Amino acid sequence: QTVVTQEPSFSVSPGGTVTLTCGLNSGSVSTSYYPSWYQQTPGQAPRTLIYSTNTRSSGVPDRFSGSILGNKAALTITGAQADDESDYYCVLYMGSGIWVFGGGTKLTVL
Amino acid sequence: QVQLVESGGGVAQPGGSLRLSCAASGFTFSNSGMHWVRQAPGKGLEWVAFTRYDGNNKYYADSVKGRFTISRDNSKNTLYLQMNSLRPEDTAVYYCAKGGGQLELTNWGQGTLVTVSS
C-alpha cells in the first residue's frame, strides 16, 4: 500500500525559513508524481499553493516555493509570517487516475 | 471567478445512502476533470474519486471503491457523489475540487458534512 509521508509537526520562528517534505514509504518522489501542496487553516477549505513540483498557484506569495530535495518533494517557506501557521498537505499523482495525500504537517509559527 | 458549492450532506445510518452535489460556476465545467476529497473530523485530507471532463473515466480510492459512484451532468454544471453502504468511518467533510492541467486540484468548495451514525 502506498503511503505518502509528511512530518506531523514543525515549528518556525517569525521571519525564519522552514522546509516541509513529502516522501513515499517505498521509493523516491520525482517530478513524475506531479507533487502539489495545499494550505488549510481550521474550519476552512484547502488552498492550493504549489503544483507540478514548483509552480506557484495564482496569488501565492513568492516566499512559498516547491522543489525536489533528495528523494522527496519539498515546500519551503522563506520569511515565515504568523498567518502561515496552518496545516500543509502534499498530494502525489500515482498514475492510473489515482492521487494520494500525505498525512499533513501542522506548522506552528512562534 | 471559480465557485464550487457542495450540498446534500447530512446524517445517514450505517448501510444507508446519500448523494452529494457540487454546483460549479465561473469556468467551463465540461472541460475540467473533477475530484471529491474528504476530511474526517480532526484528520487529514483523503482523496476519494476523480472523473475526467466527459465523465467517461472514473477513478476511486480503495476505501470507497464499489460503494461510491462519481458522476457529472455537464448540462447542469454539476458533479455528484452517490454514497451507498455507508460506514461510520465515512463520516467526514466532503469537498469537491476542480482538476487542473498539471494534475493539481486548483479550486475547492467549502465542503459538506456527512455523518454516519445510528
Side-chain angles (χ1 to χ4, degrees):
Chain A
Q1 181 182 346
T2 300
V3 176
V4 177
T5 61
Q6 295 184 247
E7 299 87 358
S9 62
F10 231 118
S11 63
V12 62
S13 300
T17 296
V18 63
T19 297
L20 312 182
T21 67
C22 175
L24 284 169
N25 60 332
S26 58
S28 299
V29 177
S30 68
T31 57
S32 299
Y33 286 89
Y34 293 87
S36 53
W37 292 89
Y38 304 84
Q39 178 191 48
Q40 187 183 36
T41 53
Q44 298 298 311
R47 169 197 181 196
T48 307
L49 293 176
I50 300 285
Y51 62 93
S52 193
T53 304
N54 57 12
T55 303
R56 270 186 299 277
S57 189
S58 176
V60 174
D62 59 7
R63 55 201 180 76
F64 291 90
S65 62
S67 63
I68 298 292
L69 286 181
N71 62 351
K72 297 181 179 182
L75 173 70
T76 299
I77 307 172
T78 305
Q81 300 181 359
D83 61 2
D84 295 336
E85 187 162 291
S86 301
D87 295 325
Y88 292 85
Y89 295 92
C90 69
V91 67
L92 302 179
Y93 178 64
M94 308 308 295
S96 302
I98 302 296
W99 283 258
V100 179
F101 277 93
T105 297
K106 183 177 182 62
L107 180 67
T108 301
V109 180
L110 51 73
Chain B
Q1 72 281 18
V2 173
Q3 191 167 12
L4 299 168
V5 179
E6 301 94 337
S7 61
V11 180
Q13 293 197 336
S17 298
L18 277 178
R19 188 176 83 153
L20 306 183
S21 299
C22 170
S25 60
F27 65 103
T28 305
F29 182 74
S30 59
N31 286 351
S32 296
M34 295 293 295
H35 299 263
W36 286 101
V37 175
R38 69 184 180 183
Q39 186 169 36
K43 303 297 185 182
L45 300 172
E46 179 186 14
W47 177 81
V48 172
F50 174 75
T51 176
R52 297 180 75 90
Y53 68 99
D54 57 4
N56 285 340
N57 298 89
K58 304 171 185 182
Y59 306 90
Y60 301 92
D62 286 344
S63 57
V64 306
K65 197 176 297 183
R67 300 187 300 122
F68 289 12
T69 302
I70 189 172
S71 64
R72 62 192 298 158
D73 186 337
N74 285 347
S75 69
K76 295 182 178 179
N77 288 351
T78 303
L79 177 73
Y80 302 101
L81 186 68
Q82 178 67 43
M83 304 187 295
N84 298 332
S85 303
L86 283 164
R87 304 167 180 169
E89 56 264 37
D90 295 320
T91 295
V93 174
Y94 285 74
Y95 297 100
C96 66
K98 175 180 175 291
Q102 297 295 315
L103 300 174
E104 77 278 21
L105 291 75
T106 63
N107 302 85
W108 299 68
Q110 284 302 304
T112 187
L113 176 62
V114 172
T115 302
V116 183
S117 173
S118 54

